[in-house]
């Protein structure tokens, strides 16, 4: 790093002098072509949209993405000055007066620390390979969120204790209503938040089992504890905490056996099958889905869901015959479901012309054009109007878009694949299965469409989203 670059190095995101001196950057700055400037910074430094936005200040990562894609531009001298200072671009290159940091021969003591972000709240630096290695959430914000979650969980516990004191016979009813509540909200709340709340409630509910009560009521509370463990397994799966998910699922299976309620066990086994599927272990996923069907009754929702899971896991193994057999069985089980079956929440199934996961199965078997058609049909049927896209099942909607992106990529349609990928990553609830699919799409795009600027943009957005999952960079 020479003296000139060192002089700029105290700023949030200092782009290398080699990039500043490049002909592409010189021309982009001279023309004030901020789309190209942002694209070059993003591609050449590996900085995520969030890092770029934080460096500039008063800008969101979505706006950075819009600028790179040419959807929005930059207007106003004040914004241009923030871009210059955030990226360390000399004022002359952007038609501005020399910036304050350009006039200092001693980089350690800039005038009044102009533009300097305090070290404890500064955005993360970009390391030598251009990858953001830290999450730039201020500690005060993290503590505030944690405190909110704890207080919210404690309020639930206070209400539970009051209700149990008033009438112990009402406790199973209250727990059942809480389980219904979390069954719906777990699909839309951030996984870490819902996990913390569920854990607090689960601990309280299990404590009631230590008190003396009639056998029937004990079984009801034991079953409630099992459902809470099953929900904790789902939340842990969405966080990518696989070991914790396995423990909670095993506990749910144990509670299921204690009270003779096989449906609970089926849902727990389904979560374990999903984990194996997204970890790239399809044979184990098939075995688990088959195991779950063996302990649940035909005609139940969970049995049908397990059959559809077996279908797509079989497709991942490349076994077309078993996939088709599983598809036919799943279709038959779908027809047995009663009217009014749950279509939202963690313990639900999506009705449609095809069994759930049909589009995924077609994509995995290389039948990409058919998969595109099937996925578009799912999106149109299940996620319209707009309110259903991100309100009830934001993660499922994102995963459907990513299946569409993977199918479009397999069919050779770059624009459509990238567009579906960006739409999927625009959601507000990143979860481990979603991020796993998003990474798969990125790998295929890089393999099949090398040296494409669109692919680089998608990968930058993907890296930005992964940093949001459980507060760490993946």
């Amino acid at each position: 790093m020479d003296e000139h670059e060192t002089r700029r190095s105290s700023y949030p995101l200092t782009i290398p002098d080699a990039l500043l001196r490049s002909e592409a950057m010189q021309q982009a700055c001279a023309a004030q072509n901020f789309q190209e400037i942002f694209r070059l910074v993003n591609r050449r430094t590996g900085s995520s949209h969030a890092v770029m936005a934080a460096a500039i200040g008063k800008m969101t990562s979505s706006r950075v993405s819009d600028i790179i894609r040419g959807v929005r531009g930059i207007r106003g001298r004040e914004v241009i000055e923030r871009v210059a200072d955030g990226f360390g671009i000399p004022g002359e290159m952007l038609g501005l007066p020399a910036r304050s940091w350009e006039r200092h021969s001693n980089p350690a003591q800039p005038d009044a620390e102009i533009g300097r972000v305090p070290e404890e709240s500064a955005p993360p630096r970009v390391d030598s390979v251009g990858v953001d290695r830290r999450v730039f959430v201020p500690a005060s914000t993290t503590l505030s969120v944690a405190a909110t979650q704890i207080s919210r969980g404690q309020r639930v516990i206070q209400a539970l204790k009051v209700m149990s004191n008033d009438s112990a016979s009402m406790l199973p009813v209250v727990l059942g209503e809480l389980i219904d509540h979390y069954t719906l909200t777990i699909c839309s709340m951030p996984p870490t938040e819902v996990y913390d709340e569920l854990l607090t409630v689960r601990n309280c509910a299990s404590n009631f089992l230590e008190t003396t009560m009639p056998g029937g009521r004990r079984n009801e509370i034991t079953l409630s504890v099992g459902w809470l463990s099953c929900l904790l397994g789902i939340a842990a799966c969405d966080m990518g905490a696989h070991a914790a998910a396995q423990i909670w699922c095993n506990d749910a299976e144990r509670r299921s056996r204690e009270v003779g309620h096989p449906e609970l066990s089926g849902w727990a086994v389904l979560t374990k099958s999903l984990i194996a599927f997204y970890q790239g272990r399809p044979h184990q996923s098939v075995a688990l889905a088959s195991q779950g069907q063996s302990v649940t009754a035909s005609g139940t929702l969970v049995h049908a869901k397990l059959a559809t899971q077996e279908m797509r896991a079989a497709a991942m193994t490349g076994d077309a015959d078993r996939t088709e057999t599983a598809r036919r069985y799943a279709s038959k089980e779908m027809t047995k479901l009663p009217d009014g079956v749950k279509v939202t929440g963690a313990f639900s199934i999506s009705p449609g012309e095809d069994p759930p996961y049909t589009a995924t199965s077609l994509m995995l078997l290389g039948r990409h054009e058919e998969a595109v058609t099937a996925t578009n049909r799912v999106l149109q049927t299940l996620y319209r109007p707009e309110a259903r896209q991100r309100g009830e099942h934001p993660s499922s909607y994102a995963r459907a878009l990513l299946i569409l992106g993977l199918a479009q990529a397999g069919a050779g349609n770059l624009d459509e694949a990238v567009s579906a990928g960006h739409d999927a990553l625009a959601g507000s609830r990143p979860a481990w299965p979603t991020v796993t699919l998003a990474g798969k799409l990125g790998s295929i795009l890089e393999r099949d469409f090398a040296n494409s600027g669109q692919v680089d943009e998608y990968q930058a957005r993907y890296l930005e989203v992964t940093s949001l999952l459980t507060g760490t960079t993946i």
Side-chain angles (χ1 to χ4, degrees), residues 103-180:
R103 296 191 292 268
H104 297 290
S105 58
N106 183 357
Q109 295 179 332
D111 287 347
E113 297 291 328
I114 297 175
R116 181 73 177 271
V117 179
E119 186 169 344
E120 63 271 16
S121 61
R125 304 290 298 178
V126 176
D127 67 13
S128 60
V129 295
V131 179
D132 172 16
R133 298 299 185 192
R134 295 180 345 190
V135 177
F136 41 89
V137 178
S140 59
T141 302
T142 304
L143 292 174
S144 174
V145 171
T148 300
Q149 294 168 10
I150 292 171
S151 63
R152 189 163 52 211
Q154 290 302 324
R155 284 193 289 270
V156 175
I157 298 308
Q158 290 168 356
L160 266 175
K161 290 181 177 178
V162 169
M163 291 298 297
S164 63
N165 289 334
D166 288 348
S167 174
S169 63
M170 286 296 296
L171 181 59
V173 176
V174 175
L175 285 173
E177 291 176 348
L178 271 176
I179 290 164
D180 289 342

Side-chain angles (χ1 to χ4, degrees), residues 365-378:
L365 291 174
R367 297 161 62 179
H368 299 115
E369 296 290 354
E370 294 175 74
V372 168
T373 301
T375 310
N376 279 325
R377 188 160 57 240
V378 169

